[in-house]
Amino acid sequence: PVQGAFYFCVAFEDGVLNDRQTLPIADPAVKAFVEKSVEGVALDKRFVHYMMASEGVCVTPLTGFHTDILGFRLTTLNPDDAKRARTLERIGDSIRRYLNS
C-alpha cells in the first residue's frame, strides 16, 4: 500500500496547446475568474487552471519549475488504488477534451 507521496510529470508534445483551448466551467463567476487569470500565461498554466475549475483536480504546471517544457506535475498521497485510478482517469479525460476543444 501507498505510504508516501508519488510524483510524476506529464509533458505535452510541442504544438498541441494553444490559447483558445478550454474546458467547461459550470459556475459563471469561476469561469470569468479563470478566463481573466489565464490571459498571457504559459500554455500549461492555462490548462491547469481550466482543469482545476472544471474538474476540481489540482496539479502544478511544469513551467512553474523554471523549465520551458509545457506540462504538469502530479502528486498523489491517496492510498486508495480505486480513488487514485479515478483521479488519473479524470485527468486523462480532461486532457483529451481540452486538446480537442
Side-chain angles (χ1 to χ4, degrees):
V2 175
Q3 295 189 7
F6 180 69
Y7 303 91
F8 66 92
C9 293
V10 174
F12 291 104
E13 292 182 10
D14 289 340
V16 301
L17 296 178
N18 64 61
D19 63 359
R20 296 173 308 281
Q21 293 160 315
T22 64
L23 287 170
I25 301 171
D27 184 317
V30 173
K31 181 177 181 180
F33 177 82
V34 168
E35 288 173 347
K36 182 72 175 161
S37 72
V38 299
E39 291 177 3
V41 302
L43 296 175
D44 60 344
K45 187 173 184 179
R46 179 184 170 84
F47 166 73
V48 165
H49 281 238
Y50 271 98
M51 185 171 65
M52 187 168 29
S54 180
E55 287 293 322
V57 175
C58 183
V59 297
T60 306
L62 287 182
T63 55
F65 293 98
H66 305 288
T67 179
D68 293 332
I69 299 168
L70 299 179
F72 59 89
R73 185 182 87 171
L74 172 70
T75 305
T76 182
L77 305 170
N78 196 324
D80 184 313
D81 290 338
K83 286 182 181 178
R84 201 170 44 256
R86 283 193 301 276
T87 300
L88 294 174
E89 288 170 5
R90 288 171 57 202
I91 292 171
D93 182 57
S94 293
I95 292 169
R96 283 186 288 280
R97 290 185 297 124
Y98 189 80
L99 294 180
N100 290 318
S101 68

